[in-house]
Structures are given as structure tokens and as C-alpha cells.
Amino acid sequence: MKRFITTLMILLVVLVAGLSALVLLVNPNDFRAYMVRQVETRSGYQLHLDGPLRWHVWPQLSILSGRMSLTAPGASQPLVSADNMRLDVALVPLLSHQLKVQQVMLKGAVIQLTPQTEERRPKDAPVGPSTGITPSGEDRGWSFDIAKLKVADSVLVFQHDGDEQITVRNINLQMEQNDRKLAHIELSSRINRDQRDLNFSLVADLDASNYPQQLTANISKLDYQFRGADLPVSGIAGSATFAASWSDPQHLLEFSQLQLTANDSDLQGNGRVVLEDKPQWQLDLRSSKLNLDALVAENAVTSTNVVQQAQQQSSLPRPVIASGVDDNTYQSLRGFSAQVKIAAGNVRWRGLDFTDVQSAMTNQYGLLKVSELAGKFGKGSMSFPGVLDARKNEPSLHFNPKVTDIEIGPILTAFDYPIALTGLLSMDGDFSGDKLNADAFRRSWQGDANITMSNTTMQGMNFQQMIQQAVARSNGDVQAQQNYDNVTTLESFAAQASLDNGQLTLGNMSGKSSMLELTGKGTLDLVQQQCDTRFNVTVLGGWEGDSKLIEVLKTTPIPLRVYGPWQKLNYSLQVDQALRKQLQGEAKRRLNDWLDKHKDSKNSKDVKELLNNL
């Protein structure tokens, strides 16, 4: 044991002595000109190192520099600049005058991918042939090899011509590659833009053996958290894994085996994009659950509890960018083409739960065609095919909704309509407008639809009760059965609807139940939430008393007007007038029958005068 310890001590002494001798005998500044020359020869970039180079021995033999910068030919600003740079070098190659850099570390670096840092050649500069020949070993004198790159506490500034600048902060990158150009990358960073923060970290394996023609990557871990304006209060957080590849000749970026989570939603699938002046997208995605209410702040459910919670914890509004394009014009659709398919087992939106949702869309540089957008809601189904044309300054939308047996009550609640109406709705419509949102539909859309409903109940008014009580008050010979339910129930209802800039006209209304029948027409102001509807209601059952009068009432339509604010409706009945007309009609019929039978009677003249006065 004593001999072993002695041997270790000897080796340690030799190592320390060797490093000390190296530090004393080899001046790291001898590498300065070589490094500058090699960078310029291999890439054309100009490497600038401020201050003297110096050795750093422990725990890794390294060369330290002061401030450094790397500038492209003709660029006005450096592509990369850093407060200091550390080169971890191998010891043994130094003994034979070889510089083998095992790791490059930049701390406090600023990486600028902007128009000012791009390479710019003089207009009259000759263009030489691209031979791909590197300088010979005789001209070099030194060999140069980098296996590891480390970037700490750095910043990336990214900007296209005319676009807004994006800053990526707190970059921490660790990359290792072998001699076959297979690299392992660990990266974490933070992006702040428009009062939003995106924090992310990833682990990936990169294959650059065919770079720049092809580049493939396997992202085995990607964790992110997104917070800020126009987002849910708790933000959006999740993880992802996928495989990606880049093909330079076709400018093709592909991804596959996507597994993405966002809060309690998930997404799988694959896609590709050709990155030309106008990108060409193809996406095929699927999901077992998409909870849009937890991903988009404006889709919050409007139930009482959720509204109160939103008032206490409202999300920050998104700031207005003066140079931004108005999203309501959909001009961004002009900048790309796309073919998108999305299938979801369950979708939650505005508190509504849909199942078996299928969508297929294509965009041709501003002409968005929704060939399929269908799903199930409860026991019913719905489909919303349509077209959005944003090729002109004023966009236009045209949709043909088809709804079958959808429960109407939750729909009205989700879109803030204070109408206590339930029942199964079926609709076949044709609508057009200029913006795709609920408020625009209320105010500026137009269209027509055929509507049918079954098993309908309207809370707040009992048509049968109102009419029977009015008749009982005016005629003591008739009583109404006691019914304290403040509900109007119809087994079937049909109407023709016409929408014109917030005015919904309902024509040819007809409804029927075992207790009443009705016809009518009316208008609803969707903006002011006012209505004015007129019905003719015939009460078929629930009468007690004079049988002859009841038979008359069962065949007499009673005019009923319902009007006023939706939350406080008013009504007016014309029972006496209807009964009077009914009795007058019955009297006229009987007098006419008498005249037909007694034309020669001496009283016929008096009967005719009576008919004229009725």
C-alpha cells in the first residue's frame, strides 16, 4: 500500500512539473495569429481577440482570452461577441506543436442573426470557383479540432429584413461531437416578446455527417413554460419529443413522431414545410384531448363560477404593436400555403365538450378552404364547411353550417345569450361575414337558415297558463287547470331564420305540443338583446267548465306578443278580441246558414242587416 501511494505521488509530481514546464516554455499568444488565420481561411470570417492570451491550468488545461468577436466579410456588426473565451486544449498534442481544442466556452456572448451581421460582398468583387479544397498541411503548421462547445449566460438576437427583432436570453448550451459529426446537445433559454415569457430546455442528438446538404436531429426532451399577455393566468406548460430533419437542396424541414403536451392537452403527428419565400406547409395531427379553454384566455367558460374567477385573476391584455398587421384582416394567410388535417377524440371549447372532431383545411396564399370541420356534441352532430378569402384588403367568409339534434341550452350559455331555452336543434344554413368571431357574427354577418327543434322548453313564460288565466278572468264559465310550471313546452318547432347585421328575423314559425299549437313571426336584436315576436297560440287542453265555450277556445288562436329585453321580457294578450272575433265568426256562419234555408222568410231582411253590422 505504501509503495502504491508513493507511485501516485511521483506521477502527480511529474504531472505538475510537466504542466509548469509547459506554461513556462509555451506562450499561448503564439497561437493568436494561427487561430485568426485558420478562421479566416476556412470560413472567411474575421476573428478578433482583445488582450493577451494566458494559460489556465486547473482543473482543465485551457487558454483564456479577453473580449472576442467574429465578423462576417463586409458585415457592419460582429456575428458573435463575448466578454471572454476559454479554449480547453489537449496536453499531449502540445508537446508536438499541435493545438487540439477539446472545448470552446463562451461566457456572456451576444449572437446576432440580423441584416447588419450578414455577409456582404462588394458589387464588383470577382466570384471564384468553389473547389472545397482546404489549405495543405504545409501551409498550416498546426492542426485545429473542436469536440465540445459551451455557451453560458448568453444572448441571441434574431431579425429578418423588416421584421420585429426577437431576443433569446439566458442561453446555456453544451454540445459535444465526435469525429463522425454526431453531436449531443443540451440547451436552455428564455424568450421575452410582447409581454410574454417562454422558458424552455431541450436535450437532442444531432447528426451533421452530411451537413450542409442534410441535418437530422432527435429531440428526446423538450420542456417549456409560456406565460404572459393574452394567455391563461397559469400559463401554458408541457413537454415534447420528436424527430426532425433538414434537407438543404429542397429547403425542406420535416418532423415526425411528435408527442406534445400542453397543460392537459396532447398532440401527436408529423409535418413538413418547404422554406421558400412563401413557405409550403403539410400537417397531419391528432389528439386524444384538446382543452382549448385551458390554452386560450379568450375562450374562458362563461358560467358564473368561472366568470367570478376570471374577474379575480384576469389575464393581461396583449399590447398593441404599432407596426403589426391587424389580425382581423387575416393577411398572414397570404404568406404561405398549407394542407392541414387535425383529428381529436375530445375537444373542450367555451365549456362545451365535443367528440370525434375531424378537420381538413387548405390555404392557397390567402384562400382558406375548410373542406371538413365536423364533430359530435352530446347525441347530435355538427359540420361547418366554408371558405375564408383574405386575398383582398377586405376579407370575406362564407360557411354552410349543418347541425343535427344539438342541445341548444349549453350553446346559448357558452356564447353569453341570456335565453333560458333548451331542446334539440337542427339547422341547415348559409352565412357570410367579414370576421371569424362571436362578436362579429352578432353584428356584421348575413345569411339564412332552416331551423327545427324538438322537445323544446322555454323558461320564464308559460303560454298555456297565461292564456287560460286571462280567459278565466274575463269569463267565469271557464276555469283552467292549475299549472305552476313557468315553462312553455313544445314537442316540435320550425322556423325560417334570416340574419342581417345583428337583426335575426324568424318567419313561418310553427310549434306544437299536446297542450297547444302556435304560429308566428318576429325579430331578435342580437346586439341590443331585444326581441319583438308575435304568436297566434291555440290552447288545446287544460280547460274546465262550459263545454261549448271550451270547444270554441280549442279552435281559437289567441294573439300573443312577447317583446322587450331578453332578461326581462314583456307580453300582451288579446283574449277578448280573439273571442269576440271567434263568436262573431260563429254567429255569421250560423246566420248565413239560416238565410240559405229561409230565403223567402219575412225576417230575412232583418237578418241581412244584422250580418252587415257584425
Side-chain angles (χ1 to χ4, degrees), residues 80-309:
V80 180
S81 60
D83 295 335
N84 56 72
M85 178 176 66
R86 190 183 82 190
L87 305 178
D88 296 338
V89 300
L91 174 62
V92 175
L94 286 175
L95 302 178
S96 59
H97 271 280
Q98 290 184 341
L99 177 63
K100 184 175 182 180
V101 180
Q102 295 179 323
Q103 176 173 269
V104 176
M105 178 177 178
L106 301 176
K107 185 174 178 62
V110 177
I111 306 167
Q112 299 186 83
L113 301 177
T114 65
Q116 292 76 21
T117 64
E118 292 180 353
E119 179 180 351
R120 298 182 184 276
R121 297 185 179 275
K123 296 181 180 180
D124 56 350
V127 179
S130 176
T131 61
I133 300 176
T134 58
S136 64
E138 296 179 356
D139 296 334
R140 290 187 198 166
W142 301 90
S143 63
F144 188 73
D145 187 18
I146 299 176
K148 299 180 181 180
L149 173 65
K150 185 175 182 179
V151 179
D153 300 330
S154 299
V155 175
L156 169 65
V157 179
F158 180 81
Q159 183 183 27
H160 277 303
D161 284 330
D163 291 343
E164 185 183 354
Q165 192 176 90
I166 300 175
T167 302
V168 184
R169 304 183 184 277
N170 300 341
I171 297 177
N172 290 281
L173 169 67
Q174 181 74 50
M175 184 181 73
E176 299 182 12
Q177 69 171 348
N178 57 23
D179 54 358
R180 293 179 297 168
K181 302 298 182 182
L182 301 178
H184 180 76
I185 300 174
E186 296 182 8
L187 170 66
S188 64
S189 185
R190 178 174 67 89
I191 301 176
N192 179 273
R193 186 184 184 192
D194 294 349
Q195 294 185 3
R196 297 177 179 179
D197 278 310
L198 173 62
N199 291 275
F200 69 92
S201 62
L202 67 83
V203 177
D205 293 296
L206 185 69
D207 184 355
S209 57
N210 294 323
Y211 182 81
Q213 286 76 23
Q214 189 171 13
L215 193 66
T216 61
N218 181 32
I219 289 79
S220 58
K221 179 182 178 182
L222 172 60
D223 297 327
Y224 68 93
Q225 188 174 47
F226 200 19
R227 293 176 177 268
D230 254 6
L231 294 173
V233 176
S234 58
I236 301 174
S239 61
T241 61
F242 60 94
S245 66
W246 165 256
S247 179
D248 184 69
Q250 297 85 17
H251 296 162
L252 176 62
L253 176 64
E254 296 181 286
F255 70 88
S256 60
Q257 305 173 33
L258 173 67
Q259 297 287 337
L260 172 68
T261 62
N263 293 347
D264 58 344
S265 301
D266 63 82
L267 197 65
Q268 303 85 38
N270 55 75
R272 55 186 292 169
V273 55
V274 179
L275 295 177
E276 297 180 343
D277 292 338
K278 292 186 176 182
Q280 303 171 17
W281 288 87
Q282 289 184 6
L283 298 175
D284 188 356
L285 305 173
R286 60 191 180 277
S287 171
S288 61
K289 180 181 180 180
L290 281 179
N291 186 354
L292 301 180
D293 289 341
L295 298 177
V296 183
E298 66 181 6
N299 282 339
V301 185
T302 58
S303 63
T304 303
N305 293 336
V306 178
V307 169
Q308 291 176 351
Q309 181 180 0

Side-chain angles (χ1 to χ4, degrees), residues 45-61:
Y45 284 68
Q46 182 65 46
L47 175 64
H48 181 75
L49 301 172
D50 289 340
L53 303 180
R54 60 191 186 276
W55 286 113
H56 182 75
V57 177
W58 187 262
Q60 168 69 43
L61 182 62

Side-chain angles (χ1 to χ4, degrees), residues 271-380:
R272 55 186 292 169
V273 55
V274 179
L275 295 177
E276 297 180 343
D277 292 338
K278 292 186 176 182
Q280 303 171 17
W281 288 87
Q282 289 184 6
L283 298 175
D284 188 356
L285 305 173
R286 60 191 180 277
S287 171
S288 61
K289 180 181 180 180
L290 281 179
N291 186 354
L292 301 180
D293 289 341
L295 298 177
V296 183
E298 66 181 6
N299 282 339
V301 185
T302 58
S303 63
T304 303
N305 293 336
V306 178
V307 169
Q308 291 176 351
Q309 181 180 0
Q311 291 173 350
Q312 296 172 0
Q313 294 181 324
S314 59
S315 61
L316 292 173
R318 187 176 181 183
V320 177
I321 307 300
S323 61
V325 178
D326 186 2
D327 291 337
N328 290 329
T329 62
Y330 311 105
Q331 292 186 8
S332 58
L333 293 174
R334 305 178 190 175
F336 67 95
S337 67
Q339 296 180 0
V340 181
K341 291 184 178 180
I342 303 177
N346 296 276
V347 176
R348 185 172 180 81
W349 180 59
R350 302 182 80 96
L352 306 173
D353 292 313
F354 302 90
T355 59
D356 296 336
V357 176
Q358 303 287 333
S359 64
M361 296 170 280
T362 61
N363 176 45
Q364 291 295 324
Y365 309 109
L367 181 61
L368 176 64
K369 295 182 179 180
V370 183
S371 57
E372 182 182 18
L373 180 58
K376 297 179 181 178
F377 182 69
K379 298 180 180 180

